[in-house]
Amino acid sequence: MTQTGNLTTGKVPAVLLRFFFPMLLTNLLQQIYTFADTVIVGKGLGDDALAAVGNMSVLILLVIGFLQGIANGFSVIIAQCCGSENHTALRQSVAASIKLSAFLAALLTVLSITTLKTALLALRTSEQILHDSLLYGCIIFGGIIITMSYNLCSCILRALGDSKTPFLAIVVSSTLNILLDSLFIFVLHTGVEGAAIATVFSQAVSTLICILRIHRSESLSLTSDDFKGSLRLSPVLLKNGIPMAFMNSVTAAGCIIAQSYVNTLGVEYTSAYSVCNRYINLFMLPSLTAGFAVSTFTSQNFGARKYLRIRECVRTGLIIGLFSYALCGTAMICLPEALAGLMLNGPQSIALASEFLRICGSMLFTLNALFIFRSALQGMGKPMIPMCSGILEMVLRVLIIVLLLPRIAFQAAAYAEIAAWTGALALNLAAYIIIVRRI
């Protein structure tokens, strides 16, 4: 087999866990340097600067989430080619992915920068944080080509069964990012632009490490013929990548609308909401990573027509999600004040964030299970169902926050998250049961 790691043989739990743990460490480190940005900005520049960076997070999720969805969708096809041992299709799929990703990254760079101020105003961004949000956003969006390059390269490596190289890349990148953050903000006394520059530069370093590893891979020695032959595979890649990208963007759109409603309550609420989102992104990592592992595992075994291994893989993923809930959900329920106080300074913001974390922590396993079933469907080449669940997730999130915000204020944002997770899980679970019974 052409991939670095063969996921179609061996005991399923052992194979999945060996693939999962380097990915988990990779994603944890990514969150750590995102977390470090938040802590350094909050403690070094104050709650207003933190609100400005946090306010941009939903727009970044919209754009970067789209590119991540594209890369993940492409990687499913690449992994299926590995599972079926179709070497020609593998190289052509990679070549087509490179061309399509470059075009989409360039297009989104232009669109995101030119529409950023309009988007921030639509978010009802407070005037006191508008300038910093614009500055931070322009730098981050100016590096979209770097972000896309890293996502594509890491997805290609994981599709081939290599989860260790992306981990090495993030170890270097995270360390560099934290050092640069501290240098820019505490030594050079820059504003939020220092944190943005540190993020883009660090990601460029991680991209270079992944590119060098791909370049050394014999199975990915691309020729001009591969790029010429890739044209016929472009529709196949887009058919799988666009729904996954759309799912991410629709989910992000729901978060943007929720953010706009929260922003009307005041800067303290914006700060609290941004910190809560940081913690949810951190505590969902084990199950999110398990979902990525399940997707790649499912793709390879689906290509190899080893369907029983897929069911066992999903069961293992759910067990990971259960352990994650026991650890992370407990922290959110029992230690919300300590968590909120780590990044926030104002007592009102800390109190708001604490209540949000306590409510969402009680239902975190719903989100964990969602990642597993959704990823299994994507790995089996069924991206339309997760896309529809993303639409449902957006509708429920917006509906709950619109209905409840006038009645229970900031708590509505927490209940909106729970409703979105539960509705999306129900749809993906039902679809998974039906499809698995058929095959």
Side-chain angles (χ1 to χ4, degrees):
M1 184 173 282
T2 56
Q3 70 262 42
T4 305
N6 187 346
L7 306 180
T8 62
T9 60
K11 293 183 178 180
V12 171
V15 172
L16 184 67
L17 289 173
R18 280 199 301 269
F19 186 63
F20 162 76
F21 279 113
M23 290 179 64
L24 176 61
L25 292 173
T26 300
N27 289 334
L28 276 173
L29 285 170
Q30 282 184 307
Q31 281 301 316
I32 285 171
Y33 80 61
T34 300
F35 197 79
D37 273 346
T38 306
V39 172
I40 293 170
V41 169
K43 297 301 181 183
L45 300 176
D47 283 358
D48 282 0
L50 177 61
V53 173
N55 190 55
M56 269 302 306
S57 64
V58 288
L59 294 178
I60 292 171
L61 177 63
L62 176 67
V63 177
I64 304 303
F66 181 88
L67 294 175
Q68 288 175 335
I70 286 287
N72 288 332
F74 291 172
S75 72
V76 168
I77 303 301
I78 294 169
Q80 288 180 355
C81 292
C82 287
S84 63
E85 300 191 9
N86 189 335
H87 301 183
T88 301
L90 168 64
R91 293 192 303 272
Q92 292 179 350
S93 295
V94 171
S97 297
I98 293 171
K99 291 195 298 185
L100 291 170
S101 297
F103 171 75
L104 290 171
L107 179 63
L108 281 177
T109 298
V110 175
L111 289 176
S112 60
I113 292 177
T114 55
T115 61
L116 178 57
K117 186 173 183 178
T118 302
L120 287 170
L121 292 175
L123 269 175
R124 307 174 195 178
T125 302
S126 171
E127 185 67 31
Q128 68 191 82
I129 64 172
L130 180 60
H131 176 266
D132 279 350
S133 289
L134 273 171
L135 184 58
Y136 185 85
C138 283
I139 295 171
I140 294 294
F141 287 151
I144 279 178
I145 187 66
I146 294 173
T147 303
M148 185 64 211
S149 297
Y150 170 73
N151 282 313
L152 180 62
C153 290
S154 61
C155 282
I156 290 172
L157 289 169
R158 288 168 183 152
L160 302 179
D162 179 3
S163 58
K164 293 179 181 178
T165 301
F167 168 61
L168 173 63
I170 290 299
V171 168
V172 175
S173 179
S174 299
T175 304
L176 181 60
N177 188 82
I178 293 171
L179 292 174
L180 289 175
D181 269 342
S182 301
L183 173 66
F184 284 131
I185 291 177
F186 292 120
V187 178
L188 300 179
H189 303 292
T190 67
V192 295
E193 69 273 15
I197 293 169
T199 297
V200 173
F201 184 81
S202 301
Q203 200 158 54
V205 173
S206 62
T207 303
L208 179 62
I209 293 172
C210 291
I211 289 174
L212 291 174
R213 175 64 183 90
I214 291 174
H215 182 69
R216 292 196 302 268
S217 174
E218 293 182 3
S219 60
L220 293 180
S221 297
L222 304 181
T223 66
S224 58
D225 291 336
D226 293 320
F227 282 93
K228 292 176 183 176
S230 66
L231 184 61
R232 65 180 182 84
L233 285 172
S234 295
V236 178
L237 290 164
L238 290 173
K239 184 179 178 181
N240 203 66
I242 291 295
M244 292 175 67
F246 185 72
M247 179 198 73
N248 286 353
S249 294
V250 166
T251 302
C255 295
I256 287 173
I257 296 172
Q259 177 83 63
S260 70
Y261 277 91
V262 170
N263 285 352
T264 63
L265 301 174
V267 175
E268 294 84 1
Y269 293 85
T270 301
S271 300
Y273 190 60
S274 67
V275 166
C276 291
N277 283 329
R278 296 288 193 198
Y279 275 116
I280 288 177
N281 289 339
L282 177 64
F283 288 145
M284 74 184 188
L285 266 187
S287 53
L288 176 65
T289 306
F292 288 147
V294 165
S295 178
T296 302
F297 188 100
T298 301
S299 299
Q300 285 195 13
N301 284 276
F302 192 82
R305 301 182 181 275
K306 296 183 178 182
Y307 304 126
L308 292 178
R309 292 174 60 84
I310 294 174
R311 296 177 63 179
E312 191 173 354
C313 167
V314 169
R315 286 196 292 269
T316 304
L318 289 173
I319 292 172
I320 294 172
L322 184 61
F323 276 104
S324 172
Y325 174 68
L327 180 63
C328 300
T330 300
M332 291 175 69
I333 294 170
C334 299
L335 303 170
E337 290 85 3
L339 293 172
L342 185 61
M343 286 186 281
L344 292 165
N345 299 310
Q348 183 183 6
S349 297
I350 291 174
L352 291 168
S354 299
E355 186 64 21
F356 185 105
L357 291 171
R358 189 177 288 111
I359 293 171
C360 288
S362 64
M363 294 294 289
L364 189 65
F365 183 71
T366 306
L367 180 63
N368 295 350
L370 168 61
F371 290 136
I372 303 303
F373 289 112
R374 187 172 69 189
S375 298
L377 292 170
Q378 291 169 342
M380 289 187 285
K382 308 293 183 184
M384 295 302 295
I385 298 165
M387 185 189 76
C388 292
S389 76
I391 296 173
L392 178 61
E393 192 175 340
M394 179 193 72
V395 171
L396 289 172
R397 181 176 281 112
V398 173
L399 181 64
I400 296 300
I401 202 166
V402 169
L403 291 177
L404 295 185
L405 194 72
R407 295 174 174 82
I408 59 175
F410 189 65
Q411 289 184 17
Y415 289 116
E417 292 298 317
I418 292 173
W421 301 343
T422 305
L425 170 62
L427 179 57
N428 282 281
L429 174 59
Y432 171 79
I433 292 172
I434 293 170
I435 291 171
V436 166
R437 285 179 177 175
R438 286 178 180 173
I439 62 176

